[in-house]
Amino acid sequence: MKAIRLHIKQNRANYRREETVNCRMTYPLPPYSTVIGAIHNACSYREYHPMYVSIQGKYSSFQRKMFKEDCFLNSLQNDRGILVKMCCKDALCSAYTVVASAIKAQGNDFEKGITINVTNEKLLEEYRKLKKMPERIKAVKNRVKEHKGKSKTKEYKAFIKRLESMVKSFEEETYKKQWSRYRTLTKAPKYYEMLYEVELMIHIVSDEETMSDIMANIDNLTSIGRAEDFVEIISAEETELSERYESEEYDDYYMNSENSDMLAYIPLAVIDGLDLAGNHQGVKKQGTKYLLNKNYVSENNKRIFEKIPVLCSSDYNIDGAGDGVLFDTYTYKEKKLIYPVFLA
């Protein structure tokens, strides 16, 4: 079976577990969806190209780091957090001006100036005027509504229509556009986990055209995980996977799984299909179970992922064959290795 073998190194990486918030925990290896997404991005694909992926790897150290996260609330609050004015009303980013900050957990008031630290007096006055504007606009609309039915002449109706248009334009330009640029910002300490000196061995099997695209665009693969988790591609080669190997034929090769610190995602369907009885070594069922995302379909504007149950382990041995296990030979730094490949 033809496949692409990617030998990759990363100085650091975080493969975020999607269910974590306050501490952005990481998987020990990139999940299938992360690798598939990176490949699709490198090839500029806009539609899913089916592929099978095997992921193995290791890292030298692990660290939990603290960072301060900027969080914009869904609605503008008058009594908490930090009042800011966005430089761009359509983007939530670091381009903002601090207007004032609440001092206490509750009982503050930006409009009345109660227990706040003022950073920009001019913008705070603008905020206060804008906050009072809806009542004034509502009063003008009510007056226009009162006069709307008093006369039935065409000239008067045209005048009322122009007046309504002017009020609507004033509300949109002078109030709504300016008010939408004010936001409530909160800052809180959070944590994320980092893996250092990551080494990955990834096998990809797909149709011939897709595999050709991957090889042609492999230089566009710049990161796996976060955008700043850059990759160094040690090798990217087409290889032939075997269903079994005879030890006599590969006397000078070493089975990578034996006494190795290389972790692997092993689909539970592969483990369940192996014969663990008698003298057949098979795979030891020791490790951490994960339910990993692979590909998804969109339903009602939601992503519905295909989930792959796997065992993540470095403590496994395979003799020379097994249902669902393939083998790949790879020479790196004059060391000849045989890699078991677990496609999912």
Side-chain angles (χ1 to χ4, degrees):
M1 178 186 295
K2 288 186 178 181
I4 293 175
R5 182 205 311 118
L6 302 179
H7 185 189
I8 290 172
K9 289 187 177 181
Q10 295 179 274
N11 288 333
R12 62 178 187 176
N14 174 281
Y15 312 120
R16 185 177 176 182
R17 294 176 60 171
E18 61 277 8
E19 74 276 12
T20 61
V21 179
N22 290 331
C23 180
R24 297 178 179 177
M25 300 173 67
T26 180
Y27 289 105
L29 300 172
Y32 300 115
S33 59
T34 300
V35 172
I36 291 173
I39 294 296
H40 278 59
N41 186 58
C43 296
S44 299
Y45 289 148
R46 293 296 174 263
E47 294 181 354
Y48 176 61
H49 288 237
M51 58 184 64
Y52 295 96
V53 182
S54 171
I55 302 171
Q56 302 175 61
K58 61 182 179 179
Y59 57 90
S60 66
S61 61
F62 165 92
Q63 185 180 15
R64 180 174 294 176
K65 302 184 71 174
M66 185 179 74
F67 71 100
K68 185 179 287 186
E69 183 180 62
D70 288 358
C71 179
F72 293 95
L73 302 186
N74 290 332
S75 59
L76 180 59
Q77 302 294 320
N78 185 57
D79 62 346
R80 69 196 69 179
I82 303 170
L83 180 64
V84 300
K85 185 176 182 179
M86 308 302 298
C87 294
C88 177
K89 68 181 182 65
D90 297 323
L92 297 179
C93 61
S94 59
Y96 58 78
T97 302
V98 176
V99 180
S101 306
I103 297 176
K104 301 192 301 182
Q106 56 185 4
N108 314 286
D109 195 306
F110 292 120
E111 184 180 9
K112 298 178 181 178
I114 300 174
T115 59
I116 63 171
N117 285 327
V118 180
T119 304
N120 192 312
E121 187 69 45
K122 183 178 178 181
L123 291 181
L124 183 59
E125 284 301 315
E126 181 184 72
Y127 164 81
R128 288 166 175 168
K129 289 179 181 179
L130 288 171
K131 198 168 190 321
K132 295 176 181 177
M133 200 169 287
E135 294 183 3
R136 298 175 180 176
I137 294 174
K138 184 178 180 181
V140 172
K141 286 182 176 180
N142 289 337
R143 292 290 300 274
V144 173
K145 190 176 181 180
E146 289 176 4
H147 288 277
K148 192 172 184 180
K150 288 186 176 181
S151 176
K152 295 184 179 180
T153 63
K154 290 183 179 180
E155 293 79 5
Y156 193 80
K157 286 182 178 180
F159 169 73
I160 294 297
K161 191 172 183 179
R162 288 196 303 271
L163 196 59
E164 286 178 330
S165 179
M166 290 171 61
V167 172
K168 184 177 180 180
S169 178
F170 176 85
E171 181 181 22
E172 182 67 30
E173 297 295 328
T174 307
Y175 169 66
K176 287 185 176 180
K177 285 187 176 181
Q178 295 302 317
W179 183 252
S180 66
R181 294 176 64 180
Y182 283 91
R183 296 278 183 173
T184 299
L185 171 70
T186 61
K187 294 178 178 284
K190 293 190 176 182
Y191 300 87
Y192 62 91
E193 297 176 344
M194 291 297 301
L195 306 176
Y196 293 94
E197 296 182 26
V198 180
E199 183 177 355
L200 300 174
M201 189 65 68
I202 299 172
H203 291 82
I204 302 169
V205 174
S206 186
D207 61 83
E208 188 173 341
E209 183 179 354
T210 299
M211 292 172 65
S212 177
D213 284 345
I214 294 173
M215 292 301 297
N217 293 280
I218 197 62
D219 289 338
N220 296 329
L221 182 63
T222 57
S223 65
I224 294 179
R226 305 173 304 170
E228 61 266 37
D229 294 336
F230 299 114
V231 304
E232 176 190 0
I233 300 177
I234 305 301
S235 70
E237 302 173 315
E238 292 186 346
T239 185
E240 189 74 28
L241 302 181
S242 303
E243 293 185 0
R244 62 185 298 117
Y245 77 92
E246 301 297 339
S247 57
E248 296 81 6
E249 188 178 346
Y250 297 99
D251 285 338
D252 54 346
Y253 281 79
Y254 295 90
M255 173 62 75
N256 181 67
S257 62
E258 296 176 358
N259 302 317
S260 171
D261 57 352
M262 186 77 83
L263 294 163
Y265 284 145
I266 309 173
L268 296 188
V270 172
I271 295 177
D272 294 339
L274 290 173
D275 180 11
L276 303 180
N279 296 322
H280 191 105
Q281 285 180 300
V283 179
K284 296 179 181 178
K285 295 186 180 181
Q286 297 179 5
T288 304
K289 288 184 179 181
Y290 293 108
L291 193 61
L292 300 180
N293 292 333
K294 188 183 176 185
N295 59 292
Y296 69 88
V297 294
S298 295
E299 294 182 5
N300 299 322
N301 295 323
K302 292 183 179 180
R303 293 181 177 182
I304 309 299
F305 278 90
E306 177 188 359
K307 302 282 187 176
I308 308 295
V310 301
L311 181 76
C312 182
S313 176
S314 63
D315 186 14
Y316 62 91
N317 292 308
I318 298 176
D319 54 4
D323 293 338
V325 182
L326 299 173
F327 300 93
D328 180 34
T329 57
Y330 178 53
T331 302
Y332 179 60
K333 292 184 177 181
E334 299 182 354
K335 188 174 183 180
K336 298 181 178 180
L337 296 172
I338 299 174
Y339 280 88
V341 177
F342 310 99
L343 295 174

